[in-house]
Amino acid sequence: MKRIYDWDAKFSLRNYTVADLQALKGKQKLTQTTANSAEEAAAASDAGIDLIMGNAQNTRMVRDAAPNLFFTAAIGLPDFPTETDVLKAAFQAMKDGADSIYTARGPHIVELLAKEQIPVMCHLGLVPRKSGWNGGLRAVGRTRDEALELWNAFRRMEDAGAFSVEAEVIPERLFSEISRRTSLITMSLGSGNGGDVIYLFQNDICGEQTSRPKHARAFGDLHSLNEQIRSERRAALSAFKEAVQGGSYPAEAETAKIPDEEFADFLDAISSKEAAE
């Protein structure tokens, strides 16, 4: 573990720092997943996941649950429209314990953050919220011209000061070439095995829904378990209502008792009081 002070001047331990990730580029494959709740963060930590990423507004909760994992706080694209909004959100997330900031905005926003010495993760390839520009949800970089434009976008983000990139649904062969040529730490989300970090959403890994993107593999089946919980909850509630209406709940063993003599004294007392009134 590396000893650091976070942006709130609190002593902390981290499994990785930005310098570590840069030193490991091309040498060691790491893993990253999402964490937006205390349970998701703790599960990632317990499972030995290397890096986690989640909504900036959840930073404090996630940090408390996974105090040592390198955490990237994502600033929502439509939630912080102005440069001032972005800076405030970024500074708050760093104060709450984030190690880097993710943005799907352009190089000007990356540069804005980088000038404040905030480690920035950008997003290239398929950016779902911007997919209307590319004709929908599809791989980006399947033609020569598009591949060249993508390469130039990587260069622009390098120049703007990003240290890492979420690279989503880029053809594997193309991405492998870009990854080894760029200084950015590459997080492959559906872009094959050529990235420095292999990234997959936790809900996809755990199989929380029956439908998922082509690139996502379910390594668990929480959907079935959640469906079982939903069914069991409704069955239990129905059985409770039926027991109440049928008179079997609450049963004698499920109620408190008062000794006979104490109860008799109570009846005498209230009877005397009622008579006096």
Side-chain angles (χ1 to χ4, degrees):
M1 289 287 174
K2 297 299 176 71
R3 302 163 67 246
I4 68 164
Y5 278 95
D6 66 16
W7 275 46
D8 201 28
K10 294 178 181 176
F11 175 79
S12 303
L13 297 175
R14 290 290 188 274
N15 60 340
Y16 295 103
T17 65
V18 171
D20 294 326
L21 297 179
Q22 291 172 329
L24 289 173
K25 180 175 174 61
K27 300 176 182 178
Q28 181 178 333
K29 198 77 67 178
L30 300 178
T31 55
Q32 177 174 269
T33 192
T34 49
N36 279 300
S37 69
E39 168 58 20
E40 289 179 350
S45 180
D46 292 343
I49 298 296
D50 299 300
L51 316 170
I52 52 176
M53 178 175 171
N55 191 303
Q57 294 163 306
N58 298 328
T59 300
R60 175 55 61 193
M61 173 175 56
V62 169
R63 177 51 71 214
D64 289 344
N68 305 133
L69 291 191
F70 188 99
F71 176 67
T72 299
I75 298 178
L77 185 62
D79 301 325
F80 305 96
T82 70
E83 292 187 357
T84 298
D85 294 334
V86 169
L87 275 179
K88 284 183 177 180
F91 269 79
Q92 184 61 55
M94 295 297 288
K95 175 182 172 66
D96 288 343
D99 299 296
S100 68
I101 297 297
Y102 159 93
T103 178
R105 303 282 290 276
H108 65 297
I109 295 297
V110 170
E111 183 176 12
L112 175 76
L113 296 169
K115 282 183 175 179
E116 296 294 340
Q117 295 188 307
I118 295 173
V120 186
M121 178 192 292
C122 61
H123 192 160
L124 295 173
L126 170 62
V127 183
R129 291 176 184 266
K130 300 179 180 179
S131 55
W133 286 103
N134 295 317
L137 299 173
R138 64 170 182 84
V140 175
R142 298 182 69 180
T143 68
R144 172 189 177 279
D145 288 346
E146 195 169 74
L148 286 172
E149 173 53 33
L150 187 60
W151 166 244
N152 289 330
F154 272 78
R155 299 296 296 273
R156 287 193 293 271
M157 288 301 190
E158 285 179 334
D159 292 342
F163 95 97
S164 69
V165 56
E166 178 181 334
E168 186 167 354
V169 194
I170 298 170
E172 181 174 25
R173 183 165 52 172
L174 170 64
F175 179 58
S176 294
E177 279 298 317
I178 292 176
S179 182
R180 72 182 185 85
R181 294 170 185 269
T182 181
S183 64
L184 299 174
I185 307 303
T186 56
M187 316 289 184
S188 174
L189 179 61
S191 297
N193 199 40
D196 301 307
V197 179
I198 305 301
Y199 174 34
L200 196 56
F201 287 11
Q202 190 166 154
N203 61 302
D204 288 327
I205 294 172
C206 297
E208 293 186 32
Q209 56 277 320
T210 55
S211 62
R212 62 187 66 90
K214 177 183 177 180
H215 64 263
R217 183 193 303 179
F219 293 83
D221 190 11
L222 285 186
H223 175 75
S224 292
L225 293 176
N226 287 332
E227 286 300 303
Q228 183 178 341
I229 290 171
R230 282 169 52 84
S231 177
E232 189 69 16
R233 186 187 305 279
R234 284 152 180 77
L237 291 169
S238 297
F240 163 70
K241 180 179 180 180
E242 182 178 340
V244 170
Q245 292 178 333
S248 65
Y249 180 83
E252 183 178 354
E254 296 163 325
T255 58
K257 304 295 187 293
I258 182 173
D260 292 344
E261 61 273 20
E262 297 294 336
F263 187 58
D265 288 347
F266 164 73
L267 292 177
D268 288 343
I270 62 171
S271 295
S272 298
K273 185 176 181 181
E274 287 173 343
E277 292 174 349

